[in-house]
Amino acid sequence: MQTPSLARAISNATPTEEMNGSGNLMDFLDEPIPDVGMYEDFHTIDWLREKSRDTDRHRKITSRSKESIWEFVKSLLDAWSGWVVMLLIGLLSGTLAGVIDLAVDWMTDLKEGVCLSAFWYSHEQCCWTSNETTFADRDKCPQWQKWAELMTGHTESAGAYVLNYFLYVLWALFFSFLAVSLVRVFAPYACGSGIPEIKTILSGFIIRGYLGKWTLLVKTVTLVLVVSSGLSLGKEGPLVHVACCCGNLFCSLFSKYSKNEGKRREVLSAAAAAGVSVAFGAPIGGVLFSLEEVSYYFPLKTLWRSFFAALVAAFTLRSINPFGNNRLVLFYVEYHTPWYMAELVPFILLGVFGGLWGTLFIRGNIAWCRRRKMTRLGRYPVLEVIAVTGITAILAFPNPYTRRSTSQLISELFNDCGTLESSQLCDYINNPNMSRPEDDIPDRPAGPGVYSALWQLALALIFKMVITIFTFGMKIPSGLFIPSMAVGAIAGRIMGIAVEQMAYHHHDWIIFKNWCRPGADCVTPGLYAMVGAAACLGGVTRMTVSLVVIMFELTGGLEYIVPLMAAAVTSKWVADAFGKESIYEAHIRLNGYPYLDQDEFTHRTLATDVMRPRRNEPPLAVLTQDSTTVEDVETLIKETDYNGFPVVVSRESERLIGFVQRRDLTLAIRNARQKQDGVVSSSVVYFTEEPPCLAASHPQPLKLRRILNLSPFTVTDHTPMETVVDIFRKLGLRQCLVTRSGRLLGIITKKDVLRHMAQMTNQDPESIMFN
């Protein structure tokens, strides 16, 4: 089932000659041909070949380093090139994230007003510089004026409200229209979250241009525009795409990565970690996110380099200080009350809510995206974005909790109510005789502001749940982390206030008697918001370990890991009960990307049931080792679209010799026609060491043995498909050949495996679009 040389390759102890079977894998011909060994767009890479090529390159560098001082220096530069790439990725992704954060703050506030002293200041920055701002009215200053006040001089009239309302909607429409136009005209790949495609690329698929320079530029600019427009989306997922674009950009500077797709994916895994690091200010969570969620191949060396890239990116972002609080984290909180065991019950209930919401969102969003894909709706992406933006802005403006940016909303929901808080959520009735330290305020009865805020939050919850389903997946950059967290934070805050008021009014109940005495600070509603945010994000993405680490890094709430873990695990269990796929895997399947998930394959089928050719199909297209002409090869290439061809001794015996890639074959013949005299259409192509016996009048033969892989992966026809699927996952194969006693029977490609898996789960096998 498995060749001995490949078994040794898996243990990282195989010389390159043994894997290739004949000398140096890089030297396909006597003179290397440009682009031989590369891959076409929308094709899967051969991980084993890439690993072998890198091993060969490394061995050459090591042997040459002993020849001279210069070669030794070159070997050192090669060894350190990985760390240099990580440093550059961290610096650029951190800088871009800081610029995006600053621009989003300014443009979000621009929808409501402008700073007269310096128009490039956001509302908060404008009032920082004012000498007339008091602490009680720290969000008001003469230098900041709303549009109606600036144009008419009135601030509180109905006309001023209508004018502000109109301009808010107009700015939102302008931002979103500009964003979708830039994406549509200059970089179609800049739309969406990017994480489904990053997962697919890291699994070995090639999508040229998806990580290109134009995509990086357009996604950075349009990300600012769409977040500022007020749409229910975030910048965190797209920042992973931006960081991977940075990684791909710097890979092109070093041949070690630019000429080896396997090594390039190690860099992209580290770049994904840097993207999450700058998105949340969570470098450790970023590394775990890359390991748990997006990476397909993650060796220990990549773990260290991911950590370094995330560290540099976080340090760069901290140096820019876009949040103005001298902290790296986005939602820093400081709670003064521990959590109690009895509170695990509402925390688990929030986990159940997060799992149900995740299931509802995934099914609703996939149904809408499929409708967009299959109907005329997909032909009008600009109109769709404008319509959703208009509806969002019109419904969001009247509610203060949906009018502000989602990040500001989450920050307010996470906050604990101190004596200096002016939020409606902190409008409690104080005891005039209370004399306690400011950080130990006892539970108090809710005032009218709290009840008013609860109604507004309930409406905001319904609004966010519905509008996010239609927003995610439009032809604009759209992240999902922040909207999912906002849904959970709203639900959590509502539950936290409910538990707090129950504990205050019914402190003699048995569930409160042991831990909540009158006059004590028992319940922290902000903690419930934090747990709810984790639950909903986990229900949508199915993250567990990385989610908990991101949340405690995001908030600084290290002692609340157990509630976060309880909610994350519960939300995953509940969501998995309705379907195993996360939103990213659901979009991968919707788009037909060839991605092998990690779920177990338990069906009792054999390799012979999946291999091609099947019954009533034409025989397998093969080449013979020494009796095929150049014309025959070119005709076969022209009439078929296969990625490669098995090479056999003869059509009668069909004893397998090796496998040759279509692209390598095409380039080799083209190069031979141009540079080698005597090669014509009737020339014999041979893959043996010695040329075949030919008549003297016969044209010069063409030797192509060095582009032949003499140890293709093979399985027998009775190999269980469970084993075949596991082999494809673990080794990242493009194809494997099916034999019986050395005789070639058929071939199984990655696409065949995916189609078979889809068929076994009663899905459409033709949904797998790419090779």
Side-chain angles (χ1 to χ4, degrees):
M1 181 185 71
Q2 177 173 293
T3 59
S5 62
L6 189 57
R8 290 193 296 273
I10 298 170
S11 64
N12 295 324
T14 303
T16 309
E17 291 86 355
E18 291 181 2
M19 282 193 69
N20 187 37
S22 175
N24 190 335
L25 188 61
M26 291 286 285
D27 295 333
F28 293 117
L29 299 172
D30 293 335
E31 294 182 4
I33 303 173
D35 294 333
V36 164
M38 304 303 286
Y39 302 94
E40 300 282 357
D41 198 11
F42 293 122
H43 282 65
T44 302
I45 71 170
D46 189 333
W47 285 92
L48 291 177
R49 182 164 73 161
E50 298 303 298
K51 174 67 176 174
S52 179
R53 292 170 67 186
D54 184 63
T55 303
D56 182 71
R57 182 197 63 82
H58 189 265
R59 193 181 67 249
K60 275 186 177 181
I61 291 174
T62 303
S63 62
R64 288 176 181 172
S65 64
K66 302 173 184 177
E67 297 175 359
S68 65
I69 296 295
W70 173 238
E71 292 294 337
F72 178 72
V73 171
K74 285 170 66 176
S75 70
L76 290 179
L77 292 174
D78 179 79
W80 279 93
S81 61
W83 297 102
V84 173
V85 170
M86 296 304 131
L87 176 67
L88 295 173
I89 290 171
L91 291 172
L92 183 56
S93 57
T95 302
L96 289 176
V99 171
I100 288 171
D101 288 333
L102 292 170
V104 165
D105 284 345
W106 174 64
M107 293 180 68
T108 300
D109 290 340
L110 192 64
K111 293 187 299 181
E112 297 192 36
V114 66
C115 185
L116 299 182
S117 58
F119 74 90
W120 57 88
Y121 279 173
S122 67
H123 189 173
E124 190 175 11
Q125 292 170 329
C126 188
C127 292
W128 278 348
T129 59
S130 174
N131 296 323
E132 304 170 45
T133 306
T134 62
F135 188 83
D137 293 325
R138 50 191 177 277
D139 59 338
K140 297 178 182 178
C141 57
Q143 286 82 2
W144 178 265
Q145 289 192 3
K146 293 186 176 182
W147 291 112
E149 183 182 2
L150 184 66
M151 295 179 180
T152 64
H154 301 290
T155 57
E156 303 299 333
S157 65
Y161 179 85
V162 171
L163 182 57
N164 284 327
Y165 197 158
F166 174 74
L167 289 173
Y168 178 92
V169 175
L170 197 63
W171 276 111
L173 291 172
F174 173 69
F175 290 156
S176 62
F177 173 74
L178 188 57
V180 70
S181 300
L182 288 172
V183 168
R184 186 173 173 80
V185 174
F186 295 106
Y189 282 150
C191 66
S193 165
I195 292 181
E197 287 77 11
I198 297 297
K199 282 171 69 79
T200 308
I201 289 171
L202 290 181
S203 74
F205 197 55
I206 296 208
I207 308 178
R208 301 215 183 276
Y210 196 81
L211 302 176
K213 301 180 187 67
W214 269 111
T215 304
L216 172 62
L217 178 61
V218 173
K219 188 137 194 173
T220 303
V221 174
T222 54
L223 187 55
V224 174
L225 291 167
V226 295
V227 175
S228 303
S229 70
L231 285 165
S232 184
L233 46 79
K235 58 182 181 293
E236 284 65 29
L239 276 175
V240 174
H241 187 187
V242 167
C244 286
C245 288
C246 297
N248 190 63
L249 174 68
F250 292 124
C251 278
S252 62
L253 304 179
F254 299 88
S255 60
K256 175 180 178 179
Y257 299 108
S258 63
K259 295 182 178 179
N260 191 297
E261 293 292 343
K263 297 293 290 181
R264 187 195 298 265
R265 274 149 185 77
E266 293 180 23
V267 173
L268 297 180
S269 292
V276 175
S277 175
V278 294
F280 291 111
I284 300 174
V287 175
L288 292 175
F289 174 83
S290 180
L291 174 62
E292 180 182 0
E293 188 64 24
V294 297
S295 293
Y296 201 83
Y297 173 63
F298 203 85
L300 186 62
K301 178 173 60 177
T302 304
L303 177 68
W304 289 113
R305 290 182 175 174
S306 300
F307 184 78
F308 179 69
L311 173 68
V312 173
F315 175 78
T316 306
L317 184 66
R318 171 66 180 78
S319 302
I320 297 174
N321 191 24
F323 308 124
N325 57 4
N326 291 318
R327 291 192 177 96
L328 180 62
V329 297
L330 187 58
F331 307 121
Y332 182 79
V333 296
E334 224 172 346
Y335 301 141
H336 306 287
T337 307
W339 63 277
Y340 299 91
M341 287 298 295
E343 290 183 286
L344 278 177
V345 174
F347 293 154
I348 290 173
L349 289 176
L350 285 173
V352 173
F353 172 79
L356 294 174
W357 151 245
T359 302
L360 171 68
F361 173 78
I362 291 171
R363 292 189 176 181
N365 180 252
I366 292 299
W368 179 251
C369 289
R370 184 176 288 111
R371 183 179 179 83
R372 177 191 296 128
K373 199 179 187 74
M374 303 300 180
T375 64
R376 296 177 61 187
L377 179 66
R379 302 178 191 173
Y380 308 103
V382 177
L383 287 178
E384 183 189 9
V385 170
I386 292 296
V388 173
T389 305
I391 293 170
T392 303
I394 290 170
L395 296 178
F397 187 84
N399 190 334
Y401 293 107
T402 52
R403 184 190 313 173
R404 68 192 65 178
S405 72
T406 312
S407 296
Q408 291 174 343
L409 169 63
I410 295 173
S411 182
E412 182 172 343
L413 294 171
F414 281 6
N415 274 342
D416 194 14
C417 284
T419 54
L420 302 178
E421 292 293 335
S422 58
S423 168
Q424 259 193 318
L425 288 168
C426 297
D427 182 25
Y428 289 92
I429 300 173
N430 292 314
N431 183 352
N433 299 322
M434 180 184 72
S435 59
R436 283 178 172 268
E438 290 183 357
D439 61 350
D440 189 19
I441 301 174
D443 288 345
R444 299 156 290 169
V450 172
Y451 290 110
S452 174
L454 285 176
W455 279 108
Q456 292 171 337
L457 284 176
L459 294 173
L461 177 64
I462 297 170
F463 170 73
K464 287 284 184 185
M465 290 174 69
V466 174
I467 203 68
T468 307
I469 290 174
F470 297 97
T471 304
F472 186 70
M474 293 194 301
K475 297 299 181 184
I476 49 175
S478 53
L480 193 57
F481 282 34
I482 289 295
S484 300
M485 289 175 64
V487 169
I490 294 171
R493 187 77 185 207
I494 293 173
M495 178 175 281
I497 293 173
V499 173
E500 179 191 46
Q501 293 305 302
M502 285 175 61
Y504 177 81
H505 292 290
H506 304 284
H507 54 80
D508 54 341
W509 285 7
I510 189 169
I511 58 173
F512 301 120
K513 186 179 293 185
N514 295 330
W515 58 277
C516 193
R517 297 181 304 276
D521 185 11
C522 304
V523 181
T524 306
L527 172 60
Y528 286 73
M530 187 167 74
V531 172
C536 283
L537 185 54
V540 171
T541 63
R542 309 298 164 85
M543 295 190 299
T544 51
V545 180
S546 56
L547 171 63
V548 172
V549 175
I550 286 173
M551 286 304 298
F552 86 70
E553 282 190 281
L554 186 65
T555 59
L558 186 59
E559 63 181 296
Y560 301 105
I561 284 184
V562 173
L564 291 171
M565 291 173 68
V569 169
T570 304
S571 68
K572 179 171 174 58
W573 282 344
V574 172
D576 282 351
F578 295 95
K580 297 289 186 182
E581 288 182 330
S582 70
I583 183 64
Y584 304 128
E585 288 161 354
H587 272 270
I588 286 173
R589 184 163 57 84
L590 177 68
N591 293 327
Y593 297 139
Y595 180 80
L596 273 172
D597 56 40
Q598 303 301 319
D599 290 339
E600 290 187 12
F601 183 86
T602 57
H603 303 282
R604 292 184 175 273
T605 50
L606 301 177
T608 188
D609 302 323
V610 181
M611 72 176 190
R612 291 183 296 166
R614 298 186 179 90
R615 291 174 184 172
N616 303 321
E617 286 187 353
L620 193 65
V622 298
L623 301 174
T624 57
Q625 66 175 358
D626 58 4
S627 59
T628 307
T629 64
V630 170
E631 185 178 16
D632 294 336
V633 175
E634 290 177 332
T635 301
L636 186 63
I637 292 173
K638 183 178 180 181
E639 293 178 352
T640 64
D641 58 356
Y642 304 134
N643 291 334
F645 306 96
V647 178
V648 295
V649 173
S650 66
R651 296 187 184 276
E652 291 75 26
S653 71
E654 291 195 341
R655 293 282 178 180
L656 180 64
I657 300 297
F659 191 84
V660 62
Q661 299 289 342
R662 174 196 186 91
R663 179 182 173 87
D664 296 348
L665 200 59
T666 304
L667 290 172
I669 292 177
R670 184 188 306 160
N671 185 73
R673 282 184 176 277
Q674 294 173 353
K675 297 184 178 180
Q676 192 172 334
D677 295 335
V679 175
V680 294
S681 295
S682 57
S683 297
V684 173
V685 173
Y686 68 99
F687 297 93
T688 56
E689 285 291 352
E690 300 298 329
C693 296
L694 301 171
S697 60
H698 203 278
Q700 180 178 346
L702 174 61
K703 180 179 179 180
L704 295 182
R705 183 176 177 82
R706 295 208 176 179
I707 68 170
L708 180 66
N709 178 10
L710 288 168
S711 60
F713 198 93
T714 60
V715 296
T716 67
D717 54 336
H718 289 292
T719 304
M721 273 308 295
E722 181 181 1
T723 304
V724 174
V725 170
D726 208 35
I727 290 169
F728 268 86
R729 283 195 191 118
K730 297 265 183 3
L731 299 180
L733 298 182
R734 298 180 81 189
Q735 70 278 317
C736 73
L737 302 174
V738 183
T739 62
R740 180 191 293 167
S741 302
R743 181 172 173 269
L744 179 66
L745 295 182
I747 187 171
I748 299 176
T749 65
K750 188 176 182 180
K751 189 174 181 181
D752 294 327
V753 173
L754 287 161
R755 280 176 164 166
H756 181 65
M757 293 174 68
Q759 198 169 10
M760 290 295 99
T761 54
N762 298 318
Q763 298 172 7
D764 179 16
E766 296 305 318
S767 62
I768 312 301
M769 298 186 298
F770 301 119
N771 296 320

